[in-house]
Amino acid sequence: MKENILVIGGTGKTGRKVANKLVKIGHHVRIGSRSASPPFDWKKPEEWSEVLRGMDKVYITFQPDLAVPGALEAIEELTKQAKKSNIKKMVLLSGKGEREAELCEQVVIHSAIDYTIVRASWFNQNFSESFFLEPIIEGFVALPQAEIKVPYVDTDDISDVVVEALLNRKHNGKIYQLTGSRQLTFKEVIQEISEATGRKINFTPIALPAYTNVMKQQGVPADFIWLIEYLFSEVLGNPTNSEITNDIEEVLGRKPKDFSAYVKETAITGIWNSRLNN
Ligand SMILES: NC(=O)c1ccc[n+]([C@@H]2O[C@H](COP(=O)([O-])OP(=O)(O)OC[C@H]3O[C@@H](n4cnc5c(N)ncnc54)[C@H](OP(=O)(O)O)[C@@H]3O)[C@@H](O)[C@H]2O)c1
């Protein structure tokens, strides 16, 4: 059956892939973003009912992160409006090991609408579509928590799980924790990217206060610095976040994409050499 599915953040790292996959198999997708028509802005709840109208299901990616102040209230309001709009299923993208995000999950869980929670580890794509890209292009990466091992997960796998959760009732009421199958330190990540691109990319460990001080000097907004501090301390500092889970294989019946496969296919796009190409 063809369904009407709202993909909030539908041009983003996971939403873009979820939307493409749903359209490919014949569903009708509405993108929820500030640049879509009608527009969806997390800061303008008075406009959400227009975006929810006529939709059967919703994939929710919150901006910038479910841990930030105000996220809980926004998710409460969205679920309230979703109920009014007769939404039948919600899939929420959450962050693995984020206590504040779990409060938002609880709102969805107790909404009386069918749901699946997809808690993801840090994405591979943070190195190619997000804030780690620029230093890689510059050839000089300095990051805190250098000794911590992260089981990075690919947005190809996340989007496959989200599509499956949206379309199959057997995932109702489930909380999935998605990780890749290998843990890597930042140094190991940069080494792999360096080898795949044939470029010399330096990695230097740096203390968290020194890292955020540089951001302050560069005029980065305070709420973004707060989020970075939170992600590097609360999330990366939580030892359970290094654990590898089996949930991707359980849902999709196949292994997660290996980090090396991600590096190989991303290197071919030239994104990590983009300054050299200019
Ligand atoms: N990165 C990670 O490692 C990681 C790990 C676990 C969980 N997560 C969670 O993933 C979520 C983000 O998902 P993602 O990475 O797939 O998305 P993303 O790439 O960060 O999302 C960008 C999308 O959000 C839209 N957007 C930006 N600001 C908006 C606003 N104020 N109101 C409405 N839409 C807005 C953008 O479109 P417009 O610009 O047109 O509005 C675009 O469609 C976050 O909640 C984060 O906590 C991330």
Side-chain angles (χ1 to χ4, degrees):
M1 194 183 66
K2 202 170 176 168
E3 293 184 296
N4 295 312
I5 304 178
L6 171 63
V7 178
I8 299 180
T11 55
K13 292 190 286 304
T14 63
R16 184 180 80 238
K17 291 180 177 177
V18 169
N20 287 342
K21 287 171 187 179
L22 288 170
V23 167
K24 216 167 173 180
I25 53 177
H27 293 283
H28 172 250
V29 167
R30 178 176 291 166
I31 301 293
S33 89
R34 294 164 301 180
S35 50
S37 177
F40 177 92
D41 188 331
W42 280 108
K43 295 202 170 75
K44 296 180 181 164
E46 66 280 7
E47 294 176 357
W48 298 351
S49 64
E50 172 76 7
V51 186
L52 287 162
R53 187 170 302 138
M55 295 290 109
D56 303 308
K57 298 180 175 177
V58 188
Y59 172 48
I60 309 167
T61 65
F62 183 74
Q63 283 298 319
D65 193 290
L66 287 175
V68 305
L72 182 62
E73 293 76 9
I75 298 296
E76 279 170 348
E77 179 60 26
L78 183 77
T79 51
K80 208 167 92 187
Q81 293 199 26
K83 217 163 164 203
K84 263 194 200 156
S85 301
N86 206 19
I87 296 294
K88 296 179 200 71
K89 169 99 192 230
M90 297 189 290
V91 176
L92 176 71
L93 177 63
S94 182
K96 197 165 166 288
E98 293 187 29
R99 213 159 16 96
E100 286 75 4
E102 286 176 24
L103 298 176
C104 297
E105 293 174 7
Q106 286 302 315
V107 173
V108 170
I109 289 168
H110 296 290
S111 65
I113 299 173
D114 285 338
Y115 70 88
T116 306
I117 307 293
V118 175
R119 268 185 209 158
S121 177
W122 277 30
F123 304 169
N124 293 345
Q125 280 72 12
N126 290 341
F127 297 98
S128 47
E129 296 179 39
S130 191
F131 49 95
F132 298 147
L133 173 62
E134 195 60 30
I136 291 173
I137 293 172
E138 296 294 343
F140 188 85
V141 181
L143 289 171
Q145 301 284 37
E147 73 291 353
I148 285 178
K149 286 187 168 276
V150 181
Y152 294 100
V153 61
D154 201 276
T155 56
D156 278 353
D157 293 331
I158 299 171
S159 55
D160 279 351
V161 169
V162 168
V163 168
E164 170 64 21
L166 281 165
L167 300 180
N168 196 327
R169 290 178 60 83
K170 74 177 184 194
H171 304 293
N172 288 358
K174 299 274 176 66
I175 299 177
Y176 293 120
Q177 307 214 70
L178 309 189
T179 74
S181 51
R182 207 149 55 93
Q183 306 154 314
L184 293 109
T185 61
F186 287 129
K187 191 175 175 184
E188 289 165 338
V189 165
I190 298 308
Q191 206 168 325
E192 284 213 24
I193 296 175
S194 189
E195 279 163 18
T197 54
R199 292 183 52 218
K200 186 170 162 39
I201 308 167
N202 274 308
F203 177 76
T204 310
I206 181 172
L208 184 54
Y211 185 61
T212 51
N213 267 340
V214 172
M215 292 171 101
K216 276 177 206 157
Q217 282 159 18
Q218 290 172 341
V220 174
D223 50 356
F224 186 73
I225 295 177
W226 179 89
L227 179 58
I228 292 294
E229 259 172 344
Y230 175 85
L231 293 173
F232 276 95
S233 53
E234 294 283 320
V235 181
L236 283 194
N238 178 346
T240 62
N241 283 341
S242 290
E243 288 167 6
I244 289 168
T245 68
N246 202 29
D247 289 8
I248 289 179
E249 197 166 353
E250 202 173 285
V251 176
L252 302 176
R254 61 161 177 80
K255 298 251 180 261
K257 183 189 270 192
D258 188 70
F259 191 78
S260 298
Y262 153 75
V263 169
K264 222 171 168 180
E265 62 187 43
T266 308
I268 291 168
T269 68
I271 181 98
W272 287 319
N273 298 68
S274 47
R275 199 132 304 159
L276 303 177
N277 294 339
N278 284 338

